[in-house]
Amino acid sequence: MLVRSRFGFSWAAVAVVFAVLGVSRTPAHTQEVPRNITLLIGFAAGGGYDTFGRLIARHWGRHLPGNPTIVPQNMPGGGSLVVANLIYNVAPKDGSQLGLFASSAALEPVIGNPQAKFETGRFTWIGNMNKDVAACAAWTASGIRSWDDAVARGARFGGVGLSAPTTQHAAFFKNVLGAPIKIIVGYGGTNDVNLAMQRGEVDASCGMFVSSVKGPYARDVEAGNLKMIIQLGRDNHPAFGDAVNIYSLLRTPQDHE
């Protein structure tokens, strides 16, 4: 499920989506399955998308005709736009290459990003692994423990690419809520942003989904190093503790659309 506001953001986001066969609409089950299938993951190793991608790569082949080997390959860039563009325009249309990219990237053609060289509706979609809710968190060594702290200190948010949730959500805070935050873009994935927070390069990161908070970043959260400061679902999620809800900060009816 993609949930789109008029700003093009997916507050209740799909954690993993797959596209196969580029612009072909031939059902995948009617085609011969290759012996080896490459699963291109649009983010760097260690983050939520990488975790989901490698999990499905380990087991999926047993459920396909011929039991092909699924080989995961990280290809970060542009918040996963690199993978989306490659699958649509370059990859062979025989099912030998699959793409895993962010739901937010799928919205980029709709909001007019010229770097999105694809038509979202012409991918052959295979499925998703879960429906997830996002939040943003700060590294507590920065002194930021709440959304008010982030605003008061002009927090530095690390971003992956312009189409990634890490950047899109922070840009919403800056451009719509008027938060005086800074966005530093160019990291390979949320794991890279997490390391940048530990080094003191940035203070906070968005793209913290429930699956990430309970998975790769659970130890940081439990140790008190990573503090959720704002959550983006319609309803508060217990995984995000006392983080303020985005909807309580929206100022006009149009902001809710």
Side-chain angles (χ1 to χ4, degrees):
M1 178 181 69
L2 297 179
V3 181
R4 179 180 181 272
S5 76
R6 70 188 182 95
F7 305 102
F9 300 107
S10 49
W11 299 127
V14 176
V16 182
V17 291
F18 294 90
V20 63
L21 305 180
V23 299
S24 170
R25 285 192 170 276
T26 304
H29 68 272
T30 66
Q31 302 195 22
E32 182 179 350
V33 178
R35 293 182 59 84
N36 293 294
I37 297 176
T38 302
L39 174 58
L40 300 175
I41 302 171
F43 295 92
Y49 283 94
D50 181 63
T51 301
F52 274 108
R54 291 181 182 278
L55 175 63
I56 199 169
R58 181 177 298 178
H59 302 286
W60 194 12
R62 299 198 306 270
H63 303 280
L64 295 176
N67 304 125
T69 299
I70 311 294
V71 182
Q73 178 181 333
N74 295 92
M75 186 176 288
S80 71
L81 271 186
V82 168
V83 165
N85 284 334
L86 185 148
I87 290 294
Y88 191 91
N89 297 291
V90 180
K93 306 301 187 287
D94 59 1
S96 61
Q97 287 190 333
L98 310 179
L100 185 161
F101 50 88
S103 57
S104 54
L107 293 172
E108 289 300 291
V110 180
I111 59 178
N113 184 350
Q115 296 181 10
K117 309 293 186 183
F118 56 86
E119 295 180 41
T120 303
R122 297 190 67 193
F123 283 113
T124 299
W125 297 92
I126 297 175
N128 58 14
M129 292 187 68
N130 75 335
K131 183 177 71 174
D132 220 337
V133 184
C136 305
W139 196 254
T140 53
S142 68
I144 297 172
R145 299 189 61 83
S146 68
W147 175 248
D148 288 341
D149 288 344
V151 173
R153 294 171 178 262
R156 300 164 298 172
F157 281 73
V160 176
L162 295 180
S163 65
T166 49
T167 306
Q168 281 193 356
H169 294 167
F172 180 88
F173 305 149
K174 184 179 181 69
N175 298 327
V176 178
L177 300 184
I181 62 174
K182 303 176 183 66
I183 306 172
I184 301 173
V185 179
Y187 294 99
T190 50
N191 191 56
D192 291 343
V193 177
N194 183 270
L195 293 174
M197 287 193 289
Q198 296 180 40
R199 294 192 297 264
E201 296 175 6
V202 296
D203 306 308
S205 173
C206 293
M208 293 288 172
F209 294 95
V210 172
S211 55
S212 300
V213 172
K214 292 184 175 182
Y217 306 121
R219 290 184 179 179
D220 287 335
V221 174
E222 293 169 359
N225 295 322
L226 200 60
K227 179 70 169 63
M228 301 299 125
I229 58 175
I230 186 168
Q231 53 185 304
L232 307 175
R234 286 280 185 180
D235 301 311
N236 290 341
H237 196 287
F240 301 141
D242 61 356
V244 67
N245 192 292
I246 180 67
Y247 286 94
S248 69
L249 302 177
L250 300 180
R251 296 172 293 190
T252 69
Q254 289 76 17
D255 290 345
H256 287 263
E257 294 180 1

